Amino acid sequence: MTKFLLAVHVLAAIVAIGPVTVAASMFPPAARRALAAPDDARAAETVQLLHRICRVYAGVGIAVPVFGFLTAGAMGVLGDAWLIASVVLTVLAALVLVVLVLPRQEILAEGTTGDGSGTGAGSSTGIGGTATHEATRAATVQLAMFTGIFNLLWATVTVLMIVRPGSTTGA
């Protein structure tokens, strides 16, 4: 049963977390392109799709810690330091995604819809739109930073899961 749980845990991580890390990394430059060309429907659709991928797979990603805890329980390693560190980093990664990445994506994605309201991130206010362009660039740069932090947290969790420092069952 342990091997089955471990296999499901690893597959869930690959299938759920992989797409989020890739789509979230692609989002900031795609948003910059879409906001720079408000008449480009394809660029706006790309931003919307990347955001939807991040949202949906973030929900699917809940399976990763669920099967992780089941696997750890079956292996009898719930109290091991490497696992506790991984859990803490996983919680931090989830918080970064839910609190810092997805809401900023939502704001930028709304700015690419071209609804004419002038309230989105891509609305043209200020002298010649310069202030908005700077604000949009700053927002996408900040989003890229938060996305990078999210990705580094998951990379660290992956390494901890493979190396399992201090574990007597490690490689």
Side-chain angles (χ1 to χ4, degrees):
M1 186 64 160
T2 302
K3 288 181 182 182
F4 171 76
L5 290 172
L6 182 59
V8 173
H9 171 63
V10 170
L11 286 171
I14 292 167
V15 170
I17 307 305
V20 174
T21 59
V22 172
S25 296
M26 293 173 66
F27 188 94
R32 277 192 292 274
R33 281 191 299 276
L35 292 167
D39 295 332
D40 186 351
R42 186 176 176 120
E45 290 167 1
T46 299
V47 169
Q48 299 293 329
L49 175 64
L50 291 171
H51 179 56
R52 187 170 41 251
I53 289 169
C54 291
R55 252 191 3 254
V56 169
Y57 281 94
V60 174
I62 293 169
V64 177
V66 168
F67 281 99
F69 276 116
L70 292 172
T71 304
M75 293 173 64
V77 296
L78 282 172
D80 287 9
W82 64 269
L83 184 69
I84 294 168
S86 294
V87 169
V88 169
L89 293 174
T90 298
V91 169
L92 287 174
L95 286 172
V96 167
L97 182 64
V98 171
V99 175
L100 300 174
V101 174
L102 292 176
R104 283 169 173 77
Q105 282 185 351
E106 182 76 28
I107 291 166
L108 288 166
E110 287 173 359
T112 66
T113 58
D115 62 1
S117 68
T119 59
S123 64
S124 183
T125 59
I127 301 172
T130 305
T132 300
H133 174 71
E134 293 298 322
T136 299
R137 173 138 178 83
T140 58
V141 168
Q142 186 179 51
L143 176 59
M145 177 190 67
F146 290 136
T147 300
I149 291 168
F150 169 77
N151 291 342
L152 284 172
L153 287 167
W154 273 115
T156 305
V157 169
T158 302
V159 170
L160 283 172
M161 291 288 157
I162 293 168
V163 176
R164 301 189 319 198
S167 173
T168 57
T169 60

